[in-house]
Amino acid sequence: MSGEIARDVVGDYQYGFHDPENATIRFDKGLSEQVVIDISELKNEPKWMTDIRVKAYRRFMEMPMPTWGNCDMLNQIDFDAVTYFLRSSDKTEKDWDEVPDDIKNTFDRLGIPEAEQKWLGGVTAQYESEAVYHSIREDLEEQGVLFLDMDSGLKEYPEIVKQYFGTVIPASDNKFSALNTAVWSGGSFIYVPKGVHVEMPVQAYFRINAKNMGQFERTLIIADEGSSIHYVEGCTAPTYSTESLHSAVVELIAMKGAKIRYSTVQNWSANVYNLVTKRGVAHADATIEWVDGNIGSKLTMKYPAVLLKGEGAHAEVISVAYAGKGQHQDAGAKVHHLAPNTTSNILSKSISKNGGRSSYRGMLQVTPKAHGCRSKVVCDALMLDPDSQSDTYPTMEVGNSSADLEHEASVSKVSNDQLFYLMARGHSEEEAMGMIVNGFFEPFTRELPMEYAVELNRLLELEMEGAIG
Amino acid sequence: MLSIENLHVSVEDTEIIKGLSLKINLGEVHAIMGRNGSGKSTLASVVMGHPDYEVTSGTIMFKGQPLEELEVYERARAGMFLSFQYPSSIPGVQVGTFLRKSVAAVRGEDAPSAREFRKELKAHMEALEMDKSFLSRYVNDGFSGGEKKRLEILQMLLLNPTLALLDETDSGLDIDALRVVSDGINSITPTAGCLLITHYQRLLDHVKPDFVHVMIDGKIVKTGGPELAAELESKGYDWLEE
Ligand SMILES: Nc1ncnc2c1ncn2[C@@H]1O[C@H](COP(=O)(O)OP(=O)(O)OP(=O)(O)O)[C@@H](O)[C@H]1O
Ligand SMILES: [Mg+2]
């Protein structure tokens, strides 16, 4: 392995190594209108995109920081200390061997090429601001499936991007979506033609390597009528003592009868702010599923949303959050029933340990004309010690009385009797905790591709080690 | 193999076991009977090492080693097994996975290969008349009383202990289940010591005890042979109280 392993790795986080920073282009820290224009110029973007960026930048500057959530942590973000663009490789390779060695080694260590060979329909690997590797299976390409990194998507299919970009999440949606729209770089662009079912998941892997890096990927997935796709993303970063900022925008569009599943296991190091806006529009009889796992980061604020716009559309949001020492997972789900006979299921599970805090923030809206809707919301929190914290902020706006709504919430502790039972079967206290925790997350884990599920279980077992005393 | 000397146990400053002595040798079956609340489960829990119970005086030795030196899981790995009166449910953990991991933990280097394990598992489940659909259910989650008890005995058979503490394993079992569970217990007793906590003579018709002890208020007040159980069945416990 030629990539030098850093010495300043903190704690047990196993992805905390970093490579030397060999940037081919690195912008000075800090943000200005000129930086935004420079990014756009560097990428040779059409003028309309530059205009979108500049307008968004101005919105970002005008908008105040959120006044809800963990304001203490949010206000610690120093936007001037962030590097907004960093190019580490001059092109996006289609062949692993062409990827620069340091970067290739990183992704080798993260198991990406292996996973691609075994079970994926396509892969994008993004390193800092841009994709360094990209591939898609030939059979998918032949069926007309487009899967590119977003920069290439804009270059090659500007008319599709222009039609949909920012239609689900406008720049002005919130301060961080404005920021993303201004400085976005990388992310995935996917179009699945009518009636095409992409059987194997496609994966994007996001890696931040540099210190004080800002990663602003932008993803747009369009599933045309009657098609389906499963998109998986993973994220890690080195552990540094200074913060990095990850602020993505993800827009999903599921046309009539289409199905999009978007699975995430976010394992950022504990110095990353993860402030992400994710939202999908489901047209008639379409399904959007967010399977969202938050294990890492310092502060995550993320509430995957679905607009149920067409009659009979369905939303599924299954999320887990693990908040350890110094972490705040502020996650949840938003579902807007805008059309009749739409249905949704929300399951949120969180674990807090060692003073960590997890919050569930939910929004359920049923508009007056959306008759015959059904929704079920279940929130379960598991506290592993008395120092930890869990809170829920559910909001409901129900505009008609025909809605069938269920809401359940529970907060539980690991009982001595459960631990004793498992220990009486030969398991140490840490192992017993690991089993209970994995069991608690099982309704989420079983939705993941097997390789991810195994990895997640291993990760949580590691988290339980050395934690009991 | 198990030797308890003048044991006193408290929970939250209330004394529950008040000077109890008991010796169990390999191959012996001991039955303990006694009223509700007399301390039977406490005794079993304390031997297994439940953290809520404090041994205030006396000693427990297992295979010549003082038990206070061993953590709960070490006791299990040393060959001790407790069939719980109220087994805990572990949501999200599948029975199959749990059994495989527990066998690996307890039997260590002697653990069977994956293939042998499946074979053993299948044989024991057939003997206990358990459907294989149990393997994909979550541990004790939504199990009926009798199903829980069968799962306890399945674990006992797989973990192959040298000392089995069976706390009211017969409660909640229908007549057929009582027979299969008893067969399970009988299959290990030639090479293991066994402590049966029970309220009913009917279990002892199937599993012949070598000794029957009566426990009242945290002490063993009388010890006899199998005939003592029959006597208790007809006379109750009053005649044993001073
Ligand atoms: N953790 C505990 N906290 C408080 N009291 C306890 C605890 N465990 C046991 N006790 C008390 O100790 C006494 C003995 O309980 P134990 O469960 O050992 O009885 P038992 O003989 O097994 O009864 P049963 O036949 O009903 O199962 C009871 O009065 C019970 O309430
Ligand atoms: Mg009892």
Side-chain angles (χ1 to χ4, degrees), chain A residues 183-249:
Chain A
V183 297
W184 73 266
S185 184
S188 300
F189 170 74
I190 297 177
Y191 171 79
V192 188
K194 274 184 194 165
V196 173
H197 296 282
V198 180
E199 307 288 350
M200 294 169 98
V202 299
Q203 187 195 44
Y205 200 96
F206 298 98
R207 174 77 178 170
I208 294 178
N209 180 63
K211 269 186 197 171
N212 298 109
M213 186 58 205
Q215 193 176 57
F216 305 97
E217 90 264 10
R218 180 91 190 193
T219 290
L220 174 62
I221 301 177
I222 303 149
D224 214 328
E225 290 181 13
S227 70
S228 67
I229 186 160
H230 182 186
Y231 178 89
V232 187
E233 69 174 357
C235 345
T236 58
T239 309
Y240 293 118
S241 52
T242 55
E243 273 86 28
S244 293
L245 174 60
H246 174 256
S247 188
V249 166

Side-chain angles (χ1 to χ4, degrees), chain B residues 41 85 167-168:
Chain B
S41 294
Q85 183 177 3
D167 192 356
E168 296 201 25

Side-chain angles (χ1 to χ4, degrees), chain B residues 121-140:
Chain B
L121 183 61
K122 186 160 177 271
H124 291 316
M125 288 182 78
E126 273 167 13
L128 291 170
E129 294 167 11
M130 288 174 83
D131 191 86
K132 62 180 190 305
S133 63
F134 272 100
L135 295 176
S136 52
R137 291 181 65 181
Y138 299 150
V139 176
N140 291 318

Side-chain angles (χ1 to χ4, degrees), chain A residues 421 425-427 442 446, chain B residues 77 82 89 102 138 152 155:
Chain A
Y421 186 77
R425 299 305 180 243
H427 306 287
E442 201 272 350
R446 73 165 169 237
Chain B
R77 291 177 190 183
L82 170 60
S89 64
S102 300
Y138 299 150
E152 293 295 287
Q155 294 177 57

